[in-house]
Amino acid sequence: MKERVALLLLLALWGQPAAAQRSYSIDRFDAVIRVERDASIQVTETITARFVGSWNGIYRTIPVTYHTPQGFNWTLGLSLQSATDGEGRSLRVEASRERHYIKFKIWVPGASDATRTVVLRYRATNGLRFFDDHDELYWNVTGDEWDVGLGAAAARIELPAGAEGVRAIAFNGAYGSTAQEAKVTTGATTVTVVMPHSLGFHEGLTAVVGWNKGLVTEPPAAARAQEVVSSNWPLTIPIPVFLLAFWIWWRRGRDPRRRPIAVQYEPPRGLSPAEAGTLLDNSADLRDITATMVDLAVRGYLQIEEYEDNKLFGLLSGRGYALRRLDPPANAVELAPHEQRMLDGIFRRHEGRVELNDLKEEFYTELPGIKSGIFDRLLGRGFYHRRPDRVRTRWMVAAVVFGAIIAIGGGVMAAGLLMTPVPFIAAGVLVAGILLWFSLIMPARTDDGTRALEQVLGFEEFLRRVESDNLKRIIIGHPELFDRYLPFAMAFGVERRWARAFEGIYTQPPTWYVGPSVMNFNVSSFSGSLAHMTSVAGSTLTSAPRSSGGSGFGGGGSSGGGGGGGGGGAF
């Protein structure tokens, strides 16, 4: 046993000097980079390596996946053309993909205590940059990830004949270095870049060459878009999402076809102003709520009182409003659930009379029940397949959930996929936007709902165009129509037009609205006062308590930037 241990120690000590002598170095790295008119690049790299000890050859890694300043990915197209020795004899090459690199493993015969030359030729596409005033090659010539330093480095960039405005700079050093120690010589169609000294470990040489536009053929917009999408495939996720959402809308979210709209001179039978306004846009809006309040006043269930509201000892004057509950009229029709909920909600904590300002941070709790009552009544009459607010909510939730899954989940996975998170974030935002847009159009009316909508649209047309001569004759001699249809005009957002049509017709102040502004009554000024009241009411009824709680030129370039790059080693 002791003899075996001694023998192993002896072999280890004997083998150590031989292993220590096994090394390699890159004596020269020369590159010829030819820009073609079709915007492709032909690259010839001549690498002179000196081997100490026994080696199989060298490998060259070239990155093909990059990140733009905006955070998107772009891919360099790379195709190997040949690998030869210094005498032009073909060498065995094995190409593979490792992370964001293409790795060329090149077997070099006689790589044992010898100096050998490898000539690598490949073609690159999508390697040029196109700006408004010039085109540009921004190319990491040597790469800055070699395991050893480079004894000498030089490059010659060849442009097509007729190049104008040629300019060039070069950077050297570790990744991100802005050192410009290389000698750059610019000719008519060639640029040579020569390093005056060797490059150290993980140091490289980058060339930036620009020329006036028109020398090479810039890829068309469609080709560039295709390249962006292929390099950032998450951007295609919104396409199937849109198609699926469209299919669902086509099957379940479309209204039946509408018939031509004819003017209607009265609202659909049995529809309250809030219901008509909701049927119009599938949403129980604030104006539907305030229209209901005015409708209750017009029908005799409450009275709106306006009063002078002076502050700071009379230095500031304004208007305040109060609501007084009245006994129901003798011939009153039973209120709809949402109307009863609103009337009870206004006076729930106040006996008989309440100042509008006292409902601040109080009445908002009644709004969900009122809106729910409107939707339930429309659903009960068979105007919808499903409640529009719930359909819209489900799609909004889906928009947030799926958008977040794609943006956040994809962002977490991006590193493993050798991508930036930006395409996933953009896709998540687009998916959320698509689903939010469909949430607006997904609620579907039934046949009965569409027929009722046609009547509502016809009545809205009458209220909107009542000022015209052929329609105004209908209201002449009927001032009572102003009060009766005013809540509908408010729900439709046309109350000012409705009031203007009654100039000289509606001359007596209403009994349901009292206060200083109706002393010298004028229907137009009354319309303005009513608009102010509903604006104050809207902000008051909804108020809730606060809860606690670039280019390589112009200073943008550096060593290691642009296309190309990578490094290599021996094996």
mmCIF file of all heavy atoms in Angstrom, residues 168-203:
data_model
loop_
_atom_site.group_PDB
_atom_site.id
_atom_site.type_symbol
_atom_site.label_atom_id
_atom_site.label_comp_id
_atom_site.label_asym_id
_atom_site.label_seq_id
_atom_site.Cartn_x
_atom_site.Cartn_y
_atom_site.Cartn_z
ATOM 1 N N ALA A 168 -14.281 57.164 -39.947
ATOM 2 C CA ALA A 168 -14.031 55.981 -39.124
ATOM 3 C C ALA A 168 -13.351 56.368 -37.824
ATOM 4 O O ALA A 168 -12.591 57.336 -37.751
ATOM 5 C CB ALA A 168 -13.171 54.980 -39.892
ATOM 6 N N ILE A 169 -13.637 55.597 -36.817
ATOM 7 C CA ILE A 169 -12.948 55.671 -35.536
ATOM 8 C C ILE A 169 -12.792 54.237 -35.038
ATOM 9 O O ILE A 169 -13.425 53.303 -35.567
ATOM 10 C CB ILE A 169 -13.704 56.515 -34.488
ATOM 11 C CG1 ILE A 169 -15.124 55.984 -34.290
ATOM 12 C CG2 ILE A 169 -13.708 57.983 -34.843
ATOM 13 C CD1 ILE A 169 -15.897 56.714 -33.207
ATOM 14 N N ALA A 170 -11.959 54.047 -34.036
ATOM 15 C CA ALA A 170 -11.755 52.708 -33.468
ATOM 16 C C ALA A 170 -11.569 52.824 -31.968
ATOM 17 O O ALA A 170 -11.019 53.823 -31.467
ATOM 18 C CB ALA A 170 -10.554 52.030 -34.111
ATOM 19 N N PHE A 171 -12.030 51.814 -31.280
ATOM 20 C CA PHE A 171 -11.899 51.747 -29.827
ATOM 21 C C PHE A 171 -11.144 50.475 -29.462
ATOM 22 O O PHE A 171 -11.220 49.467 -30.168
ATOM 23 C CB PHE A 171 -13.272 51.730 -29.157
ATOM 24 C CG PHE A 171 -14.137 52.911 -29.511
ATOM 25 C CD1 PHE A 171 -15.114 52.803 -30.495
ATOM 26 C CD2 PHE A 171 -13.975 54.119 -28.866
ATOM 27 C CE1 PHE A 171 -15.904 53.882 -30.828
ATOM 28 C CE2 PHE A 171 -14.771 55.210 -29.188
ATOM 29 C CZ PHE A 171 -15.729 55.094 -30.175
ATOM 30 N N ASN A 172 -10.445 50.498 -28.362
ATOM 31 C CA ASN A 172 -9.720 49.308 -27.921
ATOM 32 C C ASN A 172 -9.749 49.223 -26.406
ATOM 33 O O ASN A 172 -9.986 50.218 -25.705
ATOM 34 C CB ASN A 172 -8.273 49.331 -28.418
ATOM 35 C CG ASN A 172 -7.481 50.509 -27.870
ATOM 36 O OD1 ASN A 172 -7.555 51.621 -28.400
ATOM 37 N ND2 ASN A 172 -6.714 50.282 -26.795
ATOM 38 N N GLY A 173 -9.510 48.009 -25.917
ATOM 39 C CA GLY A 173 -9.494 47.786 -24.476
ATOM 40 C C GLY A 173 -10.569 46.810 -24.056
ATOM 41 O O GLY A 173 -11.169 46.109 -24.883
ATOM 42 N N ALA A 174 -10.826 46.763 -22.767
ATOM 43 C CA ALA A 174 -11.855 45.888 -22.235
ATOM 44 C C ALA A 174 -13.235 46.386 -22.655
ATOM 45 O O ALA A 174 -13.393 47.511 -23.146
ATOM 46 C CB ALA A 174 -11.749 45.828 -20.714
ATOM 47 N N TYR A 175 -14.249 45.554 -22.447
ATOM 48 C CA TYR A 175 -15.610 45.910 -22.851
ATOM 49 C C TYR A 175 -16.033 47.228 -22.199
ATOM 50 O O TYR A 175 -15.896 47.422 -20.998
ATOM 51 C CB TYR A 175 -16.584 44.806 -22.446
ATOM 52 C CG TYR A 175 -18.002 45.093 -22.855
ATOM 53 C CD1 TYR A 175 -18.445 44.813 -24.138
ATOM 54 C CD2 TYR A 175 -18.893 45.666 -21.953
ATOM 55 C CE1 TYR A 175 -19.741 45.080 -24.525
ATOM 56 C CE2 TYR A 175 -20.196 45.942 -22.323
ATOM 57 C CZ TYR A 175 -20.618 45.642 -23.608
ATOM 58 O OH TYR A 175 -21.905 45.918 -23.980
ATOM 59 N N GLY A 176 -16.521 48.161 -23.033
ATOM 60 C CA GLY A 176 -16.956 49.457 -22.543
ATOM 61 C C GLY A 176 -15.890 50.522 -22.561
ATOM 62 O O GLY A 176 -16.172 51.699 -22.308
ATOM 63 N N SER A 177 -14.640 50.152 -22.892
ATOM 64 C CA SER A 177 -13.562 51.142 -22.924
ATOM 65 C C SER A 177 -13.767 52.119 -24.077
ATOM 66 O O SER A 177 -14.224 51.759 -25.157
ATOM 67 C CB SER A 177 -12.211 50.435 -23.077
ATOM 68 O OG SER A 177 -11.180 51.371 -23.324
ATOM 69 N N THR A 178 -13.409 53.378 -23.864
ATOM 70 C CA THR A 178 -13.488 54.401 -24.917
ATOM 71 C C THR A 178 -12.099 54.829 -25.402
ATOM 72 O O THR A 178 -11.968 55.856 -26.063
ATOM 73 C CB THR A 178 -14.263 55.629 -24.407
ATOM 74 O OG1 THR A 178 -13.613 56.133 -23.224
ATOM 75 C CG2 THR A 178 -15.701 55.272 -24.076
ATOM 76 N N ALA A 179 -11.085 54.032 -25.068
ATOM 77 C CA ALA A 179 -9.721 54.344 -25.541
ATOM 78 C C ALA A 179 -9.667 54.262 -27.056
ATOM 79 O O ALA A 179 -10.271 53.388 -27.679
ATOM 80 C CB ALA A 179 -8.725 53.375 -24.919
ATOM 81 N N GLN A 180 -8.917 55.175 -27.679
ATOM 82 C CA GLN A 180 -8.783 55.228 -29.137
ATOM 83 C C GLN A 180 -7.307 55.272 -29.508
ATOM 84 O O GLN A 180 -6.803 56.251 -30.042
ATOM 85 C CB GLN A 180 -9.531 56.446 -29.701
ATOM 86 C CG GLN A 180 -11.014 56.466 -29.385
ATOM 87 C CD GLN A 180 -11.722 57.677 -29.984
ATOM 88 O OE1 GLN A 180 -11.344 58.167 -31.052
ATOM 89 N NE2 GLN A 180 -12.737 58.159 -29.286
ATOM 90 N N GLU A 181 -6.612 54.185 -29.215
ATOM 91 C CA GLU A 181 -5.172 54.125 -29.432
ATOM 92 C C GLU A 181 -4.799 53.551 -30.795
ATOM 93 O O GLU A 181 -3.645 53.641 -31.214
ATOM 94 C CB GLU A 181 -4.528 53.280 -28.331
ATOM 95 C CG GLU A 181 -4.746 53.855 -26.942
ATOM 96 C CD GLU A 181 -4.289 52.922 -25.835
ATOM 97 O OE1 GLU A 181 -4.358 51.696 -26.021
ATOM 98 O OE2 GLU A 181 -3.858 53.430 -24.781
ATOM 99 N N ALA A 182 -5.745 52.948 -31.495
ATOM 100 C CA ALA A 182 -5.443 52.339 -32.787
ATOM 101 C C ALA A 182 -5.200 53.424 -33.839
ATOM 102 O O ALA A 182 -5.789 54.510 -33.790
ATOM 103 C CB ALA A 182 -6.577 51.432 -33.220
ATOM 104 N N LYS A 183 -4.350 53.115 -34.807
ATOM 105 C CA LYS A 183 -4.110 54.016 -35.930
ATOM 106 C C LYS A 183 -5.157 53.737 -36.996
ATOM 107 O O LYS A 183 -5.297 52.601 -37.478
ATOM 108 C CB LYS A 183 -2.710 53.801 -36.488
ATOM 109 C CG LYS A 183 -2.395 54.709 -37.681
ATOM 110 C CD LYS A 183 -1.002 54.442 -38.233
ATOM 111 C CE LYS A 183 -0.723 55.344 -39.443
ATOM 112 N NZ LYS A 183 0.623 55.070 -40.024
ATOM 113 N N VAL A 184 -5.906 54.746 -37.379
ATOM 114 C CA VAL A 184 -6.984 54.605 -38.357
ATOM 115 C C VAL A 184 -6.609 55.387 -39.609
ATOM 116 O O VAL A 184 -6.328 56.588 -39.546
ATOM 117 C CB VAL A 184 -8.320 55.124 -37.790
ATOM 118 C CG1 VAL A 184 -9.431 54.969 -38.818
ATOM 119 C CG2 VAL A 184 -8.680 54.391 -36.498
ATOM 120 N N THR A 185 -6.614 54.700 -40.749
ATOM 121 C CA THR A 185 -6.308 55.325 -42.031
ATOM 122 C C THR A 185 -7.512 55.157 -42.940
ATOM 123 O O THR A 185 -7.966 54.032 -43.182
ATOM 124 C CB THR A 185 -5.076 54.692 -42.677
ATOM 125 O OG1 THR A 185 -3.968 54.772 -41.760
ATOM 126 C CG2 THR A 185 -4.714 55.410 -43.967
ATOM 127 N N THR A 186 -8.022 56.273 -43.431
ATOM 128 C CA THR A 186 -9.227 56.249 -44.262
ATOM 129 C C THR A 186 -8.863 56.559 -45.709
ATOM 130 O O THR A 186 -8.245 57.594 -46.002
ATOM 131 C CB THR A 186 -10.250 57.280 -43.762
ATOM 132 O OG1 THR A 186 -10.549 56.990 -42.393
ATOM 133 C CG2 THR A 186 -11.526 57.228 -44.586
ATOM 134 N N GLY A 187 -9.264 55.661 -46.626
ATOM 135 C CA GLY A 187 -9.078 55.874 -48.042
ATOM 136 C C GLY A 187 -10.406 56.123 -48.720
ATOM 137 O O GLY A 187 -11.430 56.377 -48.059
ATOM 138 N N ALA A 188 -10.434 56.019 -50.040
ATOM 139 C CA ALA A 188 -11.660 56.278 -50.785
ATOM 140 C C ALA A 188 -12.730 55.244 -50.447
ATOM 141 O O ALA A 188 -13.883 55.573 -50.197
ATOM 142 C CB ALA A 188 -11.381 56.284 -52.280
ATOM 143 N N THR A 189 -12.313 53.969 -50.469
ATOM 144 C CA THR A 189 -13.270 52.897 -50.179
ATOM 145 C C THR A 189 -12.734 51.911 -49.151
ATOM 146 O O THR A 189 -13.328 50.850 -48.957
ATOM 147 C CB THR A 189 -13.624 52.138 -51.468
ATOM 148 O OG1 THR A 189 -12.439 51.598 -52.032
ATOM 149 C CG2 THR A 189 -14.310 53.055 -52.471
ATOM 150 N N THR A 190 -11.647 52.228 -48.519
ATOM 151 C CA THR A 190 -11.078 51.319 -47.518
ATOM 152 C C THR A 190 -10.722 52.084 -46.251
ATOM 153 O O THR A 190 -10.402 53.274 -46.290
ATOM 154 C CB THR A 190 -9.818 50.613 -48.049
ATOM 155 O OG1 THR A 190 -8.829 51.595 -48.348
ATOM 156 C CG2 THR A 190 -10.141 49.780 -49.274
ATOM 157 N N VAL A 191 -10.762 51.354 -45.176
ATOM 158 C CA VAL A 191 -10.344 51.876 -43.886
ATOM 159 C C VAL A 191 -9.456 50.806 -43.242
ATOM 160 O O VAL A 191 -9.845 49.636 -43.176
ATOM 161 C CB VAL A 191 -11.542 52.185 -42.971
ATOM 162 C CG1 VAL A 191 -11.062 52.577 -41.580
ATOM 163 C CG2 VAL A 191 -12.415 53.288 -43.550
ATOM 164 N N THR A 192 -8.275 51.203 -42.800
ATOM 165 C CA THR A 192 -7.396 50.271 -42.093
ATOM 166 C C THR A 192 -7.259 50.712 -40.647
ATOM 167 O O THR A 192 -7.151 51.909 -40.350
ATOM 168 C CB THR A 192 -6.007 50.194 -42.741
ATOM 169 O OG1 THR A 192 -5.423 51.492 -42.741
ATOM 170 C CG2 THR A 192 -6.114 49.682 -44.171
ATOM 171 N N VAL A 193 -7.268 49.721 -39.777
ATOM 172 C CA VAL A 193 -7.157 49.966 -38.347
ATOM 173 C C VAL A 193 -6.051 49.060 -37.824
ATOM 174 O O VAL A 193 -6.117 47.833 -38.000
ATOM 175 C CB VAL A 193 -8.490 49.669 -37.620
ATOM 176 C CG1 VAL A 193 -8.341 49.925 -36.128
ATOM 177 C CG2 VAL A 193 -9.626 50.504 -38.199
ATOM 178 N N VAL A 194 -5.026 49.653 -37.197
ATOM 179 C CA VAL A 194 -3.884 48.881 -36.718
ATOM 180 C C VAL A 194 -3.615 49.260 -35.270
ATOM 181 O O VAL A 194 -3.506 50.444 -34.935
ATOM 182 C CB VAL A 194 -2.632 49.146 -37.578
ATOM 183 C CG1 VAL A 194 -1.447 48.337 -37.040
ATOM 184 C CG2 VAL A 194 -2.893 48.810 -39.031
ATOM 185 N N MET A 195 -3.528 48.248 -34.410
ATOM 186 C CA MET A 195 -3.172 48.496 -33.019
ATOM 187 C C MET A 195 -1.654 48.655 -32.902
ATOM 188 O O MET A 195 -0.900 47.829 -33.425
ATOM 189 C CB MET A 195 -3.622 47.337 -32.135
ATOM 190 C CG MET A 195 -5.067 47.415 -31.689
ATOM 191 S SD MET A 195 -5.455 48.907 -30.751
ATOM 192 C CE MET A 195 -4.309 48.759 -29.382
ATOM 193 N N PRO A 196 -1.160 49.701 -32.246
ATOM 194 C CA PRO A 196 0.292 49.897 -32.106
ATOM 195 C C PRO A 196 0.920 49.005 -31.051
ATOM 196 O O PRO A 196 2.138 48.954 -30.923
ATOM 197 C CB PRO A 196 0.397 51.370 -31.726
ATOM 198 C CG PRO A 196 -0.873 51.657 -30.992
ATOM 199 C CD PRO A 196 -1.917 50.804 -31.660
ATOM 200 N N HIS A 197 0.110 48.311 -30.284
ATOM 201 C CA HIS A 197 0.649 47.429 -29.237
ATOM 202 C C HIS A 197 -0.287 46.236 -29.086
ATOM 203 O O HIS A 197 -1.387 46.185 -29.666
ATOM 204 C CB HIS A 197 0.810 48.186 -27.914
ATOM 205 C CG HIS A 197 -0.465 48.813 -27.413
ATOM 206 N ND1 HIS A 197 -1.484 48.091 -26.851
ATOM 207 C CD2 HIS A 197 -0.865 50.120 -27.411
ATOM 208 C CE1 HIS A 197 -2.480 48.905 -26.514
ATOM 209 N NE2 HIS A 197 -2.119 50.150 -26.841
ATOM 210 N N SER A 198 0.128 45.302 -28.300
ATOM 211 C CA SER A 198 -0.672 44.090 -28.097
ATOM 212 C C SER A 198 -1.898 44.400 -27.254
ATOM 213 O O SER A 198 -1.977 45.411 -26.565
ATOM 214 C CB SER A 198 0.183 43.013 -27.426
ATOM 215 O OG SER A 198 0.608 43.480 -26.138
ATOM 216 N N LEU A 199 -2.852 43.490 -27.319
ATOM 217 C CA LEU A 199 -4.062 43.585 -26.513
ATOM 218 C C LEU A 199 -3.976 42.578 -25.377
ATOM 219 O O LEU A 199 -3.580 41.422 -25.584
ATOM 220 C CB LEU A 199 -5.305 43.296 -27.367
ATOM 221 C CG LEU A 199 -5.602 44.319 -28.469
ATOM 222 C CD1 LEU A 199 -6.698 43.792 -29.398
ATOM 223 C CD2 LEU A 199 -6.018 45.659 -27.878
ATOM 224 N N GLY A 200 -4.316 43.001 -24.202
ATOM 225 C CA GLY A 200 -4.204 42.128 -23.040
ATOM 226 C C GLY A 200 -5.386 41.186 -22.902
ATOM 227 O O GLY A 200 -6.275 41.099 -23.767
ATOM 228 N N PHE A 201 -5.422 40.466 -21.796
ATOM 229 C CA PHE A 201 -6.483 39.522 -21.490
ATOM 230 C C PHE A 201 -7.839 40.223 -21.507
ATOM 231 O O PHE A 201 -8.043 41.267 -20.888
ATOM 232 C CB PHE A 201 -6.214 38.897 -20.117
ATOM 233 C CG PHE A 201 -7.309 38.021 -19.598
ATOM 234 C CD1 PHE A 201 -7.508 36.748 -20.119
ATOM 235 C CD2 PHE A 201 -8.151 38.463 -18.587
ATOM 236 C CE1 PHE A 201 -8.520 35.938 -19.636
ATOM 237 C CE2 PHE A 201 -9.166 37.655 -18.098
ATOM 238 C CZ PHE A 201 -9.352 36.390 -18.624
ATOM 239 N N HIS A 202 -8.788 39.679 -22.284
ATOM 240 C CA HIS A 202 -10.149 40.215 -22.408
ATOM 241 C C HIS A 202 -10.150 41.656 -22.916
ATOM 242 O O HIS A 202 -10.998 42.464 -22.510
ATOM 243 C CB HIS A 202 -10.899 40.097 -21.086
ATOM 244 C CG HIS A 202 -11.509 38.737 -20.893
ATOM 245 N ND1 HIS A 202 -12.547 38.498 -20.028
ATOM 246 C CD2 HIS A 202 -11.219 37.528 -21.435
ATOM 247 C CE1 HIS A 202 -12.866 37.205 -20.049
ATOM 248 N NE2 HIS A 202 -12.059 36.591 -20.903
ATOM 249 N N GLU A 203 -9.212 41.980 -23.782
ATOM 250 C CA GLU A 203 -9.220 43.261 -24.476
ATOM 251 C C GLU A 203 -9.456 42.997 -25.951
ATOM 252 O O GLU A 203 -9.077 41.953 -26.481
ATOM 253 C CB GLU A 203 -7.910 44.010 -24.282
ATOM 254 C CG GLU A 203 -7.710 44.549 -22.876
ATOM 255 C CD GLU A 203 -6.472 45.407 -22.749
ATOM 256 O OE1 GLU A 203 -5.609 45.350 -23.658
ATOM 257 O OE2 GLU A 203 -6.352 46.127 -21.741
#
